[in-house]
């Protein structure tokens, strides 16, 4: 059975750096691409950093019981939701997976797939160094 390795930590703790290094070193990891309702930014590609979706897509996943977790942030541009969905990307019988997440997403993934399927990788960096 495959595992989902969930890289987490506070802002500026090095999550992206560790994620990229793991991705380079362990080519067998499949990546889980999360969704967001925020607009695509310059240099991003749909399906690479995120799947860019609208509120209707989020509601569809929720209605079909395929929404694993969602977090909404109030921004100056309005609410932006980031979410993980059971959209066929994850097949634990076939591979191990890697993703960047939050404590909330980790807990939701653990509830959805079971504790034995999720491996937390929490980065803790002293605040003075991090900031």
């Amino acid at each position: 059975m495959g595992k989902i390795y969930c890289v987490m930590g506070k802002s500026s703790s090095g999550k992206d750096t560790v994620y990229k290094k793991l991705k380079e070193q362990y080519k067998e990891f499949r990546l889980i691409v999360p969704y967001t309702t925020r607009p695509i930014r310059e240099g991003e590609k749909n399906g690479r950093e995120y799947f860019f979706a609208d509120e209707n897509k989020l509601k569809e996943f929720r209605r079909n019981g395929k929404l694993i977790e969602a977090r909404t942030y109030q921004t100056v541009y309005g609410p932006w939701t980031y979410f993980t969905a059971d959209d066929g990307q994850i097949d634990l019988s076939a591979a191990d997976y890697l993703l960047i997440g939050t404590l909330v997403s980790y807990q939701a993934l653990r509830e959805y797939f079971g504790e034995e399927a999720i491996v937390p990788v929490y980065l803790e960096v002293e605040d003075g160094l991090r900031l």
Side-chain angles (χ1 to χ4, degrees):
M1 181 174 166
K3 305 272 186 200
I4 298 172
Y5 294 84
C6 186
V7 180
M8 303 169 282
K10 291 180 180 178
S11 178
S12 299
S13 63
K15 294 183 298 294
D16 287 318
T17 302
V18 169
Y19 175 83
K20 287 175 188 171
K21 292 287 185 189
L22 288 170
K23 192 169 72 168
E24 288 169 11
Q25 189 164 348
Y26 299 97
K27 304 262 188 238
E28 65 272 17
F29 277 138
R30 292 188 186 169
L31 307 179
I32 299 172
V33 179
Y35 288 78
T36 184
T37 60
R38 75 160 169 75
I40 193 167
R41 295 177 180 152
E42 187 176 331
E44 290 180 326
K45 182 179 177 188
N46 189 39
R48 186 176 60 199
E49 293 85 6
Y50 294 98
F51 288 112
F52 295 91
D54 59 15
E55 287 292 326
N56 290 329
K57 187 70 171 175
L58 174 60
K59 288 177 184 175
E60 177 186 328
F61 281 127
R62 191 179 312 257
R63 185 174 54 250
N64 293 328
K66 298 290 186 175
L67 184 66
I68 297 171
E69 60 87 23
R71 294 155 279 118
T72 302
Y73 301 98
Q74 299 303 322
T75 74
V76 295
Y77 304 105
W80 289 348
T81 302
Y82 294 81
F83 61 99
T84 308
D86 187 355
D87 60 355
Q89 289 185 73
I90 303 167
D91 178 2
L92 292 175
S93 68
D96 289 322
Y97 295 84
L98 182 65
L99 84 152
I100 295 177
T102 65
L103 285 172
V104 170
S105 61
Y106 161 72
Q107 290 168 331
L109 287 160
R110 193 177 64 192
E111 264 185 50
Y112 194 87
F113 290 104
E115 189 171 344
E116 68 285 348
I118 312 300
V119 179
V121 180
Y122 190 84
L123 305 178
E124 191 166 348
V125 179
E126 190 269 317
D127 283 343
L129 179 61
R130 189 173 61 81
L131 300 173

